[in-house]
């Protein structure tokens, strides 16, 4: 990192922290003690109001909060931001009602002519291939805001057996393989559930004064709320290392990879109504799976393959 760029970042760091030590700067910016001292001297020469506190627990304190200069980005940061935005192009709808075209035009207008030229050149040398999202969710912003505000909402949901009315407390949203999903707590079923956002027919406030305190539950650990029902069926399949890699790319909270006697197994549960889903999912592993249990699941997979062969003849 160049000194000017480091000093700029250091300004923002100490303005936020207010009090810091040499060790803080050394660890934050990965610099030596000598460089940290020189940087502090440079900050003082710029007029940054620093006060040195001596003694065992000494350090530096910012006398008053500063008005910081506008944020500037290096060319590499500009490139990273621009190509991160390319992901928006694959979304049929985003949680906020903005278009990629609007964001892209504003961003490109804010960069220098040289950076714009470099972006055009990079586009001819770099490309991203990803699946486009084709299924729209019409209440993404409302669901996201309910998750942020920890509100319970009432939705009409087009399930496999027809529309149902559900009271849910959204936890998080995520996009996956062409669909938007909502991780949520189902109030009536008192259980963690995942809903496809394109199946939400209508949405309104449930008028519940206080929802559950889910502050500690995030998109990264929401699956910890998931519990199988009493009707859930356990299954187990021996799986190859190649199959385990495929599992890492697509898996669900109801299943996991375990190891027994130096063999890998895909284990988990599925609900009786999910038999078509679990058969279709396991069929995608092809020859990676063997020793499938229970026998009823093995028979359903055999029927699936038989019908597939028949359709090809």
């Amino acid at each position: 990192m160049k000194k000017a760029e480091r000093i700029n970042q250091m300004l923002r760091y100490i303005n936020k922290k207010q009090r810091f030590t040499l060790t803080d700067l050394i660890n934050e910016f990965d610099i030596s003690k000598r460089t940290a001292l020189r940087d502090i001297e440079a900050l003082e020469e710029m007029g940054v109001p620093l006060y040195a506190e001596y003694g065992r627990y000494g350090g530096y304190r910012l006398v008053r909060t500063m008005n910081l200069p506008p944020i500037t980005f290096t060319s590499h940061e500009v490139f990273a931001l621009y190509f991160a935005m390319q992901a928006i192009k694959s979304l049929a709808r985003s949680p906020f009602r903005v278009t990629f075209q609007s964001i892209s035009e504003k961003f490109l207008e804010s960069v220098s002519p040289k950076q714009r030229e470099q972006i055009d050149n990079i586009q001819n040398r770099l490309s991203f291939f990803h699946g486009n999202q084709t299924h729209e969710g019409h209440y993404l912003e409302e669901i996201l805001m309910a998750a942020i505000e920890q509100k319970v909402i009432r939705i009409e949901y087009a399930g496999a057996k027809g529309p149902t009315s559900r009271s849910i407390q959204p936890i998080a949203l995520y996009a996956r393989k062409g669909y938007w999903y909502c991780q949520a707590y189902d109030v009536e079923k008192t259980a963690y559930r995942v809903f496809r956002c394109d199946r939400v027919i209508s949405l309104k406030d449930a008028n519940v004064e206080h929802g559950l305190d889910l502050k500690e539950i995030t998109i990264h650990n929401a699956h910890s709320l998931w519990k199988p029902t009493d009707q859930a069926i356990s299954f187990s399949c021996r799986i190859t290392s190649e199959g385990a890699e495929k599992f890492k790319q697509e898996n669900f909270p109801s299943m996991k990879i375990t190891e027994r006697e130096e063999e890998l197994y895909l284990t988990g549960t599925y609900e009786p109504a999910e038999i078509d889903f679990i058969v279709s999912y396991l069929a995608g592993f092809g020859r990676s799976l063997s020793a499938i249990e229970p026998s009823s699941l093995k028979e359903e997979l055999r029927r699936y393959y038989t019908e597939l062969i028949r359709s090809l003849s």
Side-chain angles (χ1 to χ4, degrees):
M1 185 185 300
K2 295 179 180 179
K3 181 178 179 180
E5 182 181 343
R6 186 177 67 249
I7 292 295
N8 186 280
Q9 291 188 18
M10 200 172 286
L11 274 170
R12 300 181 187 284
Y13 175 78
I14 66 178
N15 199 47
K16 178 181 179 181
K17 199 170 177 66
Q18 296 292 305
R19 188 184 181 283
F20 61 95
T21 65
L22 273 180
T23 303
D24 290 334
L25 296 185
I26 291 168
N27 293 335
E28 179 70 18
F29 298 97
D30 192 22
I31 55 179
S32 66
K33 180 178 180 180
R34 180 179 296 180
T35 300
L37 287 169
R38 284 202 300 262
D39 286 350
I40 289 174
E41 185 179 344
L43 290 170
E44 290 174 331
E45 290 175 356
M46 291 169 58
V48 176
L50 292 176
Y51 175 77
E53 297 176 325
Y54 299 99
R56 182 178 180 183
Y57 300 104
Y60 296 87
R61 180 165 54 86
L62 195 62
V63 177
R64 63 180 182 277
T65 303
M66 303 173 294
N67 292 321
L68 298 176
I71 294 176
T72 58
F73 294 102
T74 66
S75 290
H76 284 87
E77 288 171 334
V78 168
F79 303 151
L81 285 170
Y82 181 75
F83 283 99
M85 290 192 304
Q86 302 306 301
I88 300 175
K89 295 173 69 175
S90 68
L91 301 179
R93 187 181 291 264
S94 69
F96 298 104
R97 296 183 177 94
V98 295
T99 64
F100 169 79
Q101 190 64 30
S102 172
I103 294 174
S104 180
E105 289 176 357
K106 290 177 180 178
F107 180 82
L108 291 175
E109 287 173 1
S110 68
V111 302
S112 69
K114 182 178 180 181
Q115 289 173 328
R116 174 66 182 270
E117 181 182 353
Q118 289 174 316
I119 287 173
D120 290 338
N121 290 333
I122 289 177
Q123 285 181 314
N124 294 325
R125 299 286 180 264
L126 180 66
S127 184
F128 297 97
F129 293 94
H130 43 68
N132 288 332
Q133 187 204 39
T134 56
H135 302 274
E136 293 193 13
H138 298 286
Y139 297 95
L140 297 179
E141 186 169 351
E142 291 83 353
I143 293 171
L144 178 60
M145 294 310 299
I148 293 171
E149 298 169 4
Q150 296 197 68
K151 290 172 56 177
V152 177
I153 56 177
R154 191 77 178 170
I155 63 172
E156 289 293 321
Y157 189 74
K161 297 181 179 180
T164 58
S165 183
R166 317 280 283 271
S167 289
I168 65 171
Q169 183 170 338
I171 298 170
L173 284 174
Y174 64 91
R176 182 176 187 176
K177 291 200 169 184
Y179 294 94
W180 275 103
Y181 293 92
C182 171
Q183 295 175 320
Y185 183 80
D186 190 314
V187 176
E188 279 95 0
K189 296 182 181 295
T190 62
Y192 167 82
R193 291 290 185 268
V194 176
F195 299 91
R196 262 184 41 190
C197 295
D198 60 301
R199 290 183 175 176
V200 177
I201 302 169
S202 66
L203 180 152
K204 63 181 180 180
D205 196 320
N207 294 319
V208 175
E209 189 171 345
H210 296 291
L212 293 176
D213 185 3
L214 299 177
K215 288 181 180 179
E216 301 302 319
I217 304 299
T218 70
I219 195 169
H220 305 293
N221 63 10
H223 288 330
S224 63
L225 291 174
W226 182 86
K227 297 291 186 297
T229 68
D230 294 337
Q231 292 76 41
I233 302 168
S234 298
F235 74 91
S236 172
C237 313
R238 189 162 59 236
I239 190 170
T240 65
S241 57
E242 291 79 8
E245 286 299 317
K246 178 178 173 57
F247 175 81
K248 291 178 183 178
Q249 298 170 17
E250 182 180 15
N251 56 76
F252 301 90
S254 58
M255 54 189 72
K256 62 183 178 180
I257 296 288
T258 59
E259 185 174 351
R260 300 197 304 262
E261 299 177 354
E262 299 184 354
E263 296 277 6
L264 296 176
Y265 286 84
L266 171 57
T267 63
T269 62
Y270 61 92
E271 303 298 328
E274 297 175 334
I275 184 63
D276 290 340
F277 157 76
I278 195 68
V279 166
S280 176
Y281 175 73
L282 294 179
F285 285 87
R287 296 182 178 180
S288 298
L289 299 183
S290 60
I292 299 168
E293 296 178 351
S295 58
S296 57
L297 176 59
K298 184 176 181 179
E299 186 59 34
E300 289 294 335
L301 269 168
R302 184 180 286 113
R303 185 178 296 112
Y304 175 91
Y305 287 124
T306 300
E307 292 177 356
L308 178 61
I309 293 171
R310 186 180 296 120
S311 68
L312 295 173
S313 59

